[in-house]
């Protein structure tokens, strides 16, 4: 059986993770097609349905309206779309930096490895979130900066995981065989080492995405991330928290959907890790 | 052991240097300055101000001057709060921040630890599933969502506790902020301790302990807990960083006069020295805590010393 099939089989044994996977797919689907399910636009104010309390199926404000009369349902979906987009983009940034850095450090080893990992240690001890906050405050708020900055802080974990895996991989016979065939280091790295990292990288990615969603919403909550008229879960939670005495549902819906999404990612990540490392599997 | 400790302490120096340097140049690269106002000041006053705060010197010179002062423990004057030294401002905020952080950390260790042990003792039974579901939920709900929800329930709904603000000595002001800050850490600690306990419980020497007739509680407390604490101890470093960054938000939400609020305000007002001062204090705390964690690690696991 191929390793991927085996992994999938072990993963399927985790019932909670399978449920999480389906729920997550439903959420993503809803985020993609959701805005067409509702007659309202993200930033339009419905003067008739002002302060509609959920569930108000009568006027199609499924989640009610916020204190300004904007439809919460549409805003939660739109915010989720941006939150997830930022999360995927930032994770991609951290993936590229982390895999490259970790693979080079682990493969070449020796003084270079020691020096590179020492640098990671030093960076790891930095309270990076403070620097990101600073970056956002100082250079204005734009979405590109948000995910580049978040991606740039999240690559450290990836680099460590990848390095460890590469250290183990390069002892294997097929790498030795490639060497004796006269393949150069760059080709061995790209052709033989990197493809074998897929498993650990997948787990780290699944566990990085919720981290990034949290960081993005943290920044947006402080008013430093995604800005009006665009919106994200963090921005919505921030707005909802300010008006929670009058329209608590404008806080509860984005918070609940974000928590549900994070929960799904965490469950899937845990199950994937178990599936890859079957030591204590049931 | 002493050499190990000295080496770790030496590692802290480049970390702090990188942090202060990054912060210094990041702030200076940003547009705007500390004395930008709606109405521009007369040029001679602007010049005098710049000279007073050494802003007219070249950037490298200012940087070296700042580092020199920092080494002598001088954080410089605040730009925004006229007549105050940054160290005075931090001294007023630090007790609040420290009380908040220490209480949250203590609460997280106590409750998270108890939950982790409970789950491990009842592996694959109801308490285990209950604790793990709660913990997974806790990891997925960040402080800044918990904070307003707590306010909604306990301050606005039930009116048991104040919704925010700070009166010296009124401890009820700290209950909700501490809870908001501790909840994600409780979950993380419970998950971590359960995992490491389960792993340790499979070791042969624990079978011996059970075989000689020790009660389950005694097996856990006397034999399993100490080795199982190792991953938890190394998690304390990141946990401290998490609680510190979390406190920036929690102080904001609950209107507490800690140093986290100085950080955001200072950055918005381009108060260079105040931001640098707060970052230096946070950085020192994290580095110091990591160092203590390393020491504790060495003390708990004798194998580390030889490595």
């Amino acid at each position: 059986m191929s390793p991927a099939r085996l992994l999938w089989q072990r993963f399927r044994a985790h019932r909670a993770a399978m449920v999480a996977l389906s729920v997550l797919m439903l959420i993503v689907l809803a985020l993609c097609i959701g805005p067409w399910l509702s007659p309202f636009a993200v930033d339009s104010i419905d003067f008739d349905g002002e302060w509609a309390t959920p569930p108000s199926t009568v006027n199609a404000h499924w989640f009610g309206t916020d204190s300004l009369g904007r439809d919460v349902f549409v805003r939660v979906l739109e915010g989720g779309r941006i939150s997830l987009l930022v999360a995927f983009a930032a994770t991609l940034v951290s993936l590229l930096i982390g895999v490259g850095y970790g693979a080079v450090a682990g493969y070449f080893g020796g003084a270079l490895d020691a020096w590179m990992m020492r640098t990671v240690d030093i960076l790891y001890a930095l309270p990076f979130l403070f620097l990101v906050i600073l970056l956002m405050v100082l250079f204005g708020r734009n979405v590109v900066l948000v995910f580049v900055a978040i991606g740039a802080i999240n690559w450290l974990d990836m680099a460590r995981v990848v390095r460890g895996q590469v250290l183990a991989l390069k002892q294997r016979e097929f790498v030795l065989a490639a060497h004796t065939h006269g393949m150069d280091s760059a080709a061995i790295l790209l052709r033989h080492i990197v493809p074998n990292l897929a498993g650990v990288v997948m787990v780290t990615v699944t566990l990085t995405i919720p981290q990034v969603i949290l960081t993005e919403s943290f920044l947006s909550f402080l008013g430093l991330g995604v800005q009006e008229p665009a919106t994200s879960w963090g921005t919505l939670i921030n707005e909802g928290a300010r008006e929670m005495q009058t329209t608590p549902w404008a806080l509860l819906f984005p918070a609940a959907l974000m928590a549900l999404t994070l929960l799904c990612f965490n469950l899937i990540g845990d199950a994937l890790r178990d599936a890859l490392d079957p030591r204590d599997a049931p | 052991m002493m050499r190990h400790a000295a080496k770790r302490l030496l590692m802290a120096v480049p970390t702090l240097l990188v942090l202060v340097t990054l912060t210094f140049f990041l702030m200076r690269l940003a547009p705007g300055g500390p004395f930008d106002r709606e109405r521009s000041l007369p040029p001679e006053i602007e010049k005098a101000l710049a000279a007073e705060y050494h802003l007219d010197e070249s950037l490298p010179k200012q940087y070296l001057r700042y580092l020199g002062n920092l080494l002598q423990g001088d954080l410089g004057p605040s730009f925004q709060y006229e007549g105050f030294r940054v160290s005075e401002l931090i001294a007023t905020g630090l007790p609040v921040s420290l009380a908040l952080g220490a209480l949250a950390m203590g609460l997280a260790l106590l409750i998270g630890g108890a939950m982790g042990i409970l789950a491990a003792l009842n592996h694959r039974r109801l308490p285990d599933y209950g604790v793990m579901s709660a913990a997974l939920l806790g990891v997925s709900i960040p402080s800044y969502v918990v904070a307003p929800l707590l306010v909604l329930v306990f301050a606005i709904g039930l009116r048991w506790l104040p919704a925010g603000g700070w009166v010296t000595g009124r401890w009820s002001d700290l209950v909700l902020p501490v809870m908001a800050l501790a909840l994600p850490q409780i979950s993380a600690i419970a998950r971590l301790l359960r995992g490491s306990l389960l792993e340790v419980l499979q070791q042969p020497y624990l079978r011996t302990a059970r075989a000689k007739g020790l009660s389950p509680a005694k097996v856990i407390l006397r034999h399993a807990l100490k080795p199982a604490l190792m991953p938890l101890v190394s998690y304390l470093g990141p946990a401290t960083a998490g609680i510190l960054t979390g406190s920036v938000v929690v102080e904001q939400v609950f209107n507490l006069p800690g140093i986290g609020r100085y950080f955001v305000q200072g950055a918005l007002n381009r108060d260079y020295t105040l931001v640098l001062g707060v970052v230096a204090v946070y950085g020192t705390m994290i580095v110091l805590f990591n160092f203590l964690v390393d020491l504790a690690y060495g003390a708990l696991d004798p194998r580390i010393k030889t490595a």
Side-chain angles (χ1 to χ4, degrees):
Chain A
M1 202 182 316
S2 76
R5 283 277 302 271
L6 197 66
L7 187 70
W8 172 238
Q9 209 166 55
R10 290 211 203 100
F11 179 80
R12 252 191 349 202
H14 289 260
R15 253 179 307 158
M18 286 305 287
V19 174
L21 191 62
S22 344
V23 171
L24 193 64
M25 279 170 15
L26 273 180
I27 291 176
V28 171
L29 188 72
L31 295 183
C32 292
I33 61 157
W36 285 280
L37 296 180
S38 169
F40 303 100
V42 176
D43 49 1
S44 75
I45 295 171
D46 180 5
F47 291 99
D48 303 322
E50 213 177 340
W51 294 51
T53 41
S56 64
T57 41
V58 187
N59 53 12
H61 289 298
W62 319 116
F63 290 179
T65 60
D66 67 5
S67 55
L68 292 174
R70 296 174 297 188
D71 185 64
V72 173
F73 179 74
V74 172
R75 290 181 69 73
V76 168
L77 292 183
E78 178 66 22
R81 211 144 61 153
I82 302 230
S83 280
L84 280 188
L85 274 181
V86 170
F88 285 128
T91 306
L92 193 68
V93 172
S94 81
L95 180 80
L96 292 177
I97 305 179
V99 171
Y101 195 96
V104 168
Y107 185 75
F108 292 103
L112 181 72
D113 175 39
W115 185 82
M116 284 173 89
M117 281 300 124
R118 192 54 52 87
T119 311
V120 167
D121 286 343
I122 288 173
L123 291 177
Y124 212 77
L126 291 182
F128 259 111
L129 213 46
F130 287 108
L131 292 180
V132 175
I133 293 175
L134 215 53
L135 211 63
M136 293 301 137
V137 174
L138 299 178
F139 292 96
R141 300 96 198 226
N142 70 65
V143 181
V144 178
L145 196 60
V146 173
F147 67 71
V148 169
I150 299 174
I153 60 177
N154 271 305
W155 64 271
L156 295 169
D157 273 323
M158 183 69 84
R160 281 186 167 172
V161 170
V162 167
R163 171 186 171 264
Q165 189 73 7
V166 170
L167 276 181
L169 278 174
K170 75 172 179 184
Q171 313 284 342
R172 300 275 292 271
E173 292 80 2
F174 62 88
V175 175
L176 186 70
H179 260 302
T180 52
H181 279 262
M183 222 171 167
D184 64 43
S185 298
I188 294 179
L189 256 182
L190 281 178
R191 289 276 295 280
H192 293 292
I193 305 261
V194 169
N196 276 301
L197 295 172
V200 284
V201 167
M202 198 163 68
V203 173
T204 315
V205 162
T206 324
L207 292 172
T208 302
I209 290 174
Q211 289 301 319
V212 176
I213 295 178
L214 277 176
T215 314
E216 182 276 322
S217 63
F218 173 83
L219 288 174
S220 297
F221 179 80
L222 283 178
L224 303 173
V226 177
Q227 290 284 305
E228 294 278 1
T231 192
S232 75
W233 280 335
T235 313
L236 288 172
I237 290 168
N238 182 19
E239 288 170 5
R242 267 188 269 132
E243 301 292 338
M244 66 183 171
Q245 274 179 296
T246 45
T247 54
W249 52 88
L251 166 67
L252 291 175
F253 283 113
L257 201 62
M258 183 171 91
L260 187 65
T261 309
L262 295 175
L263 191 67
C264 289
F265 272 114
N266 283 328
L267 276 169
I268 295 170
D270 282 356
L272 268 180
R273 190 168 41 194
D274 285 353
L276 267 180
D277 176 20
R279 258 185 318 166
D280 51 7
Chain B
M1 186 67 199
M2 282 316 285
R3 266 195 59 196
H4 175 71
K7 216 170 121 192
R8 291 312 247 169
L9 208 55
L10 224 62
M11 275 275 293
V13 176
T15 303
L16 282 179
L17 192 68
V18 168
L19 182 63
V20 169
T21 308
L22 270 176
T23 314
F24 185 91
F25 287 102
L26 210 59
M27 291 218 65
R28 292 310 170 92
L29 277 173
F35 301 116
D36 290 352
R37 296 285 183 277
E38 298 275 303
R39 215 153 46 116
S40 58
L41 295 162
E44 54 269 27
I45 293 183
E46 214 160 280
K47 234 174 155 177
L49 271 174
E52 169 73 24
Y53 290 101
H54 303 291
L55 289 175
D56 51 351
E57 293 172 351
S58 72
L59 211 51
K61 207 170 163 193
Q62 288 184 43
Y63 170 65
L64 290 178
R65 177 192 297 280
Y66 185 80
L67 276 191
N69 288 342
L70 191 64
L71 282 179
Q72 295 165 31
D74 178 13
L75 296 173
S78 164
F79 289 84
Q80 178 193 357
Y81 300 89
E82 251 174 86
F84 282 98
R85 312 288 299 172
V86 169
S87 44
E88 293 172 327
L89 291 173
I90 289 181
T92 59
L94 201 55
V96 179
S97 292
L98 278 184
L100 181 65
L103 284 172
M105 184 68 106
L107 190 72
L109 282 174
L110 213 67
I111 299 182
M115 280 170 64
I117 294 175
L118 185 75
L121 272 179
N122 296 287
H123 187 36
R124 289 198 196 127
R125 268 175 287 162
L126 192 62
D128 185 21
Y129 293 125
V131 164
M132 281 304 104
S133 318
L136 206 56
L137 204 64
V139 178
S140 306
I141 304 181
S143 298
Y144 47 86
V145 175
V146 175
L149 290 180
L150 286 176
V151 171
L152 196 61
V153 174
F154 291 103
I156 296 170
L158 297 169
R159 294 180 183 277
W160 285 352
L161 291 160
W166 172 256
V167 180
T168 315
R170 202 171 76 189
W171 291 98
S172 56
D173 283 343
L174 276 180
V175 175
L176 291 184
V178 165
M179 275 165 70
L181 205 51
L183 275 178
Q185 301 300 334
I186 290 177
S187 312
I189 288 173
R191 274 159 63 101
L192 202 66
L193 191 59
R194 170 187 177 269
S196 67
L197 260 179
L198 285 179
E199 204 156 297
V200 170
L201 283 174
Q202 291 175 355
Q203 300 280 323
Y205 72 90
L206 280 161
R207 205 181 314 138
T208 313
R210 275 192 294 268
K212 75 180 185 187
L214 287 184
S215 67
K218 233 179 184 163
V219 169
I220 292 271
L221 293 175
R222 287 275 296 277
H223 295 283
L225 202 54
K226 194 173 147 189
L229 280 179
M230 305 295 292
L232 189 61
V233 168
S234 56
Y235 174 70
L236 286 182
T240 318
I243 282 194
L244 285 179
T245 38
S247 68
V248 172
V249 173
V250 168
E251 283 174 18
Q252 203 100 335
V253 172
F254 291 98
N255 215 7
L256 294 175
I259 61 175
R261 284 205 314 169
Y262 284 137
F263 176 75
V264 178
Q265 278 170 17
L268 284 170
N269 294 316
R270 302 289 185 274
D271 194 337
Y272 300 141
T273 44
L274 185 57
V275 170
L276 276 167
V278 174
V279 168
V281 169
Y282 277 137
T284 312
M285 281 203 269
I286 290 175
V287 163
L288 202 69
F289 219 82
N290 276 327
F291 173 65
L292 291 178
V293 163
D294 275 334
L295 284 189
Y297 214 81
L300 274 173
D301 189 347
R303 285 171 301 183
I304 303 279
K305 281 179 209 164
T306 50

